[in-house]
Amino acid sequence: MGNFSSEEIQSQYDLIKKLLAKPEKYSDAINAIKKDIAYMPVELKKKLDEENIIL
């Protein structure tokens, strides 16, 4: 797996937060993220955990 910059991590984090703000509208995207969570960068997982964001 490649290295991720802090900008990439932040943009992915921001996208996830936007999707979770309207889960009924973006349920397909949220489900796709749940399936790919194993491939998420560790930094992004830590950031989501710090904010208590659970997928």
Side-chain angles (χ1 to χ4, degrees):
M1 190 178 335
N3 293 331
F4 290 89
S5 70
S6 61
E7 291 98 20
E8 289 173 307
I9 298 299
Q10 187 64 44
S11 68
Q12 290 178 5
Y13 172 76
D14 292 340
L15 174 61
I16 290 170
K17 283 189 75 168
K18 285 179 186 177
L19 294 174
L20 290 173
K22 297 183 181 178
E24 64 284 343
K25 184 175 181 181
Y26 299 113
S27 63
D28 291 339
I30 293 168
N31 289 334
I33 291 169
K34 286 179 184 178
K35 290 179 184 175
D36 291 336
I37 203 162
Y39 301 105
M40 268 187 197
V42 172
E43 296 88 355
L44 180 56
K45 287 181 186 178
K46 285 181 186 177
K47 191 167 183 84
L48 292 171
D49 284 342
E50 288 171 3
E51 295 288 325
N52 289 329
I53 296 174
I54 300 170
L55 294 171

